[in-house]
Amino acid sequence: MNKEVRVRFAPSPTGGLHLGGVRTALFNYLFAKKHNGTFILRVEDTDQTRFVAGAEEYIVDCLAWCGIAPDESPQKPGAFGPYRQSERKPSYRQYAEQLVNSGYAYYAFDTAEELTEKRAQEPNFLYGQKSRMQMRNSLTLTQSEVSELLAQNAPHVIRIKMPSNEQVTFTDMIRGEVTFDTNLVDDKVLLKADGMPTYHLAVVVDDRAMQISHIFRGEEWLPSAPIHLLLWEYLGWGDEMPAWAHLPLILKPDGNGKLSKRDGDRLGFPVYAMNWTDPKTGDLTKGFKELGFMPEAFVNLLALLGWNDGTDKEIFTLNELIDSFSVERISKAGAKFDFEKAKWFNHEWIKNSPVEQLLTNVQTELSGAGISITDGEKLATAISLVKDRCTLLSDFVSQLGYFFVAPQDYDISAIAPKWTAEKTDFFEAFAQTLNIETTAAELESAFKALAESKSLKAGEVMLPLRMMLVGGKFGPGVFDIVKFLGKEETQNRIAYGLSKLNA
C-alpha cells in the first residue's frame, strides 16, 4: 500500500444494527488492521427526519461487543473530526455552491406539490436529462429570476447535473471493472432545502476531508457509484479518490433477495447484533447477543458470509481473521444466511473456549434465571462438564442449573409404570452405601454391582437415577453428577425422587 490505510464505517442512527451492517464494519476493521491502518466510525445523521434517539449509542455498543472498536469516532475523536455529519453542516454548502458555479450542479426551486403533481402525471418520472428543462430551476429560469429567488430565501435544493452520453468506469476491488451509462442516472439532490446534504454529497466531502483511502460498503450502493465518482472529479479531487469495494449482499436462507428484519421475524431468528427497542413504539427486536451468542462466534460467522481464506478452515479468532483477510477472497455473489450454521459456529466456540472465558457470561445467564452462584470454582467445574452440550450461552441454564438447584418437578411418566418395590429397595440401599470419595468410574461399578446383587439390570435403574438427580433425560455422565453433588445432596434428591414415585 502506497498511502496510509484509513477506512470508515458510516451508519445512519435510524435503528437497530443489521448483521449486514456489522459485516461491513468487520471487513473495514479487518482490512485496516491487516495493513496497520485506521478504522473510523462516522455517524451519518444528515437525514434528521429518520434520526432515532439512542441509535448512535447502540451502534457503539454493538461494535464494542463484537470487539471491533473504532480508532476514531464521536466518542474517541482524532484529528479529522467532527465525526457526526450533522456537526459538519457548514462545510457542505460551499462545495454544493462550487458545483453550481462550475456548471456541474444547479438550483431547483420546484415545490413538493409540483413534484407530486409531476409524478402523478408521469408514474416513472425521473428528474434528469429528459425532464430538467421542463422544471423550475436555474437552467430554465433567467439569471435575474434565480438571483431574486435566492435573495428571497426561496426554498430550493441543489441537484447534480448528470452529463449526457458518457460512460463512467471504475475498478472495484471485488468486481473488477464496472461501467455506468450516465443517461440512466437521474439528477440526484446534493443539498436539501434545510441546508443539510444528502448522502451523495456528504459522503464524498467527508471521505476526502477524513483522507479515506479505501471504501467498503454494501452492494446496494453500487448504483450510486457514478454520482460519487463524478463528484470526486467535479470537485477537483480525482487524484485523491479512494479505492472502492462493494460487498455482496447477505441473502435470505432460500437465496431469494436480501435478508431483512421481517425475514428474521418470520423464520424465528435475529438479524440484529443486539436487542433493539424502538423508542417510539416500544417494540423489541431481538439480537444475537441476548439470544446467547458469543461475540467471537458472531464475528467468525459474519466473516465467512462472503469471504473465505481459500482453505476448509472455518473457526477463526479475530487475530486469525486479520492475518488471513484479503479482498481478493471476497465473493461477488451474495451469501445465504443459514441460522443452523450460525448456531454451529456458536456451539464450536462454546465447546472450545476455556472455562474462564465462559464464566462471566454463564453467571449472567444463570443470574437472569434467578440462580445465584457465589462459588466460582464449583461453577467452573459444572461448566467444564456441560459446555460440550451447549449451543447457546442460554443453554447453560437448563444444562447446569440443576447442579445448584434441585429439580422439584420432573416427568416420571417414562419410569412410573415400571416402578416396583424392588427398585425402591435398591435406591435406598444405594443411597446408604454411597461412597463419594471414589471416582465416577468406581461409583458406576458399585452401582452396577448392587443392581446385579438385587437381580436388576443396570439399565432399569440408570434412567431413574438421572431423573432424580437432574429432573430429565439430559446432562453429562450421571456419576460425574453424583460426584459433583456430593453424598448428602445426592441422598436428598434420591429420597425426594422416591417420594414422588411411591406416592
Side-chain angles (χ1 to χ4, degrees), residues 286-428:
K286 292 187 176 178
F288 280 86
K289 177 188 176 186
E290 289 78 8
L291 186 65
F293 272 75
M294 294 180 66
E296 297 87 351
F298 184 59
V299 164
N300 191 163
L301 72 92
L302 282 185
L304 270 70
L305 283 172
W307 172 87
N308 67 77
D309 73 339
T311 72
D312 293 331
K313 182 177 168 70
E314 292 188 284
I315 302 301
F316 290 86
T317 65
L318 188 56
N319 284 334
E320 287 173 334
L321 287 171
I322 292 167
D323 290 340
S324 303
F325 189 74
S326 67
V327 180
E328 293 74 22
R329 297 297 311 174
I330 299 175
S331 170
K332 296 186 188 72
K336 292 182 190 177
F337 180 72
D338 181 346
F339 187 55
E340 292 306 310
K341 184 68 174 182
K343 289 194 293 185
W344 176 85
F345 276 106
N346 206 54
H347 175 64
E348 289 298 306
W349 267 95
I350 288 175
K351 189 171 67 175
N352 295 313
S353 293
V355 170
E356 302 72 39
Q357 188 178 343
L358 297 168
L359 208 52
T360 303
N361 281 326
V362 174
Q363 279 179 317
T364 301
E365 294 289 343
L366 293 171
S367 180
I371 303 171
S372 179
I373 301 166
T374 55
D375 189 334
E377 197 172 319
K378 286 207 80 172
L379 178 57
T381 302
I383 291 172
S384 67
L385 288 171
V386 303
K387 68 189 182 91
D388 287 10
R389 301 169 177 272
C390 295
T391 297
L392 303 169
L393 290 170
S394 49
D395 292 341
F396 279 99
V397 175
S398 60
Q399 290 292 345
L400 64 66
Y402 55 79
F403 281 122
F404 303 94
V405 179
Q408 298 302 303
D409 296 301
Y410 36 72
D411 183 9
I412 57 173
S413 59
I415 53 178
K418 299 175 183 175
W419 197 254
T420 62
E422 287 78 15
K423 290 179 182 176
T424 297
D425 174 61
F426 165 80
F427 277 101
E428 287 174 344

Side-chain angles (χ1 to χ4, degrees), residues 415 419 423 426-427 443-445 447-448 451 457-469 472 477-479:
I415 53 178
W419 197 254
K423 290 179 182 176
F426 165 80
F427 277 101
L443 276 168
E444 184 173 4
S445 297
F447 181 86
K448 290 178 176 177
K457 292 179 181 174
E460 294 179 76
V461 284
M462 197 74 83
L463 178 59
L465 177 60
R466 182 177 291 280
M467 297 288 283
M468 292 172 188
L469 298 181
V478 71
F479 297 99

Side-chain angles (χ1 to χ4, degrees), residues 32-157:
K33 298 308 163 188
K34 174 86 173 184
H35 299 287
N36 299 311
T38 304
F39 171 54
I40 299 153
L41 171 65
R42 185 176 73 222
V43 178
E44 302 205 333
D45 59 348
T46 55
D47 190 345
Q48 293 295 297
T49 60
R50 296 178 63 227
F51 175 80
V52 176
E56 180 186 317
E57 294 78 4
Y58 167 88
I59 291 166
V60 171
D61 290 345
C62 286
L63 296 183
W65 176 64
C66 290
I68 53 173
D71 302 303
E72 298 174 18
S73 70
Q75 293 71 30
K76 189 181 177 183
F80 297 87
Y83 292 84
R84 294 186 190 94
Q85 282 187 334
S86 59
E87 296 170 9
R88 304 174 72 92
K89 182 178 175 179
S91 69
Y92 300 115
R93 177 166 281 279
Q94 64 170 313
Y95 294 112
E97 296 284 359
Q98 178 186 326
L99 290 164
V100 173
N101 294 334
S102 55
Y104 294 123
Y106 57 93
Y107 302 112
F109 298 95
D110 317 277
T111 64
E113 292 75 21
E114 287 169 342
L115 290 170
T116 300
E117 185 179 341
K118 192 71 177 174
R119 291 187 186 102
Q121 293 168 357
E122 298 179 36
N124 297 316
F125 170 73
L126 288 177
Y127 203 127
Q129 297 161 42
K130 293 181 181 177
S131 62
R132 62 169 78 115
M133 299 310 291
Q134 305 159 21
M135 309 302 290
R136 205 158 63 93
N137 55 52
S138 58
L139 302 175
T140 60
L141 299 170
T142 65
Q143 183 59 54
S144 61
E145 287 173 322
V146 172
S147 298
E148 187 177 341
L149 285 167
L150 292 175
Q152 295 170 354
N153 289 322
H156 65 278
V157 300

Side-chain angles (χ1 to χ4, degrees), residues 108-337:
F109 298 95
D110 317 277
T111 64
E113 292 75 21
E114 287 169 342
L115 290 170
T116 300
E117 185 179 341
K118 192 71 177 174
R119 291 187 186 102
Q121 293 168 357
E122 298 179 36
N124 297 316
F125 170 73
L126 288 177
Y127 203 127
Q129 297 161 42
K130 293 181 181 177
S131 62
R132 62 169 78 115
M133 299 310 291
Q134 305 159 21
M135 309 302 290
R136 205 158 63 93
N137 55 52
S138 58
L139 302 175
T140 60
L141 299 170
T142 65
Q143 183 59 54
S144 61
E145 287 173 322
V146 172
S147 298
E148 187 177 341
L149 285 167
L150 292 175
Q152 295 170 354
N153 289 322
H156 65 278
V157 300
I158 293 179
R159 291 179 179 272
I160 188 172
K161 185 182 178 186
M162 289 299 291
S164 302
N165 307 317
E166 287 190 15
Q167 302 288 304
V168 177
T169 299
F170 76 102
T171 301
D172 188 284
M173 289 187 284
I174 296 170
R175 296 158 198 283
E177 192 171 281
V178 183
T179 300
F180 297 91
D181 181 349
T182 59
N183 293 327
L184 303 176
V185 185
D186 55 325
D187 294 354
K188 298 292 185 188
V189 173
L190 301 179
L191 200 74
K192 294 179 281 191
D194 63 1
M196 289 297 268
T198 61
Y199 173 78
H200 304 295
L201 178 63
V203 74
V204 171
V205 171
D206 289 348
D207 283 343
R208 194 256 183 170
M210 290 183 169
Q211 297 182 14
I212 300 303
S213 63
H214 298 77
I215 294 171
F216 291 83
R217 62 184 185 180
E219 180 185 311
E220 61 268 30
W221 289 110
L222 198 53
S224 300
I227 300 153
H228 303 162
L229 288 156
L230 287 174
L231 286 175
W232 277 93
E233 296 290 347
Y234 290 168
L235 288 165
W237 304 332
D239 292 343
E240 303 170 62
M241 195 184 300
W244 306 74
H246 289 84
L247 303 173
L249 295 175
I250 297 179
L251 304 174
K252 302 176 186 184
D254 62 8
N256 293 320
K258 183 180 175 183
L259 180 71
S260 72
K261 174 181 168 296
R262 286 188 299 276
D263 297 315
D265 293 341
R266 177 173 56 88
L267 298 169
F269 57 76
V271 296
Y272 285 177
M274 290 165 53
N275 278 4
W276 167 253
T277 301
D278 188 313
K280 294 177 183 175
T281 65
D283 291 343
L284 170 68
T285 304
K286 292 187 176 178
F288 280 86
K289 177 188 176 186
E290 289 78 8
L291 186 65
F293 272 75
M294 294 180 66
E296 297 87 351
F298 184 59
V299 164
N300 191 163
L301 72 92
L302 282 185
L304 270 70
L305 283 172
W307 172 87
N308 67 77
D309 73 339
T311 72
D312 293 331
K313 182 177 168 70
E314 292 188 284
I315 302 301
F316 290 86
T317 65
L318 188 56
N319 284 334
E320 287 173 334
L321 287 171
I322 292 167
D323 290 340
S324 303
F325 189 74
S326 67
V327 180
E328 293 74 22
R329 297 297 311 174
I330 299 175
S331 170
K332 296 186 188 72
K336 292 182 190 177
F337 180 72

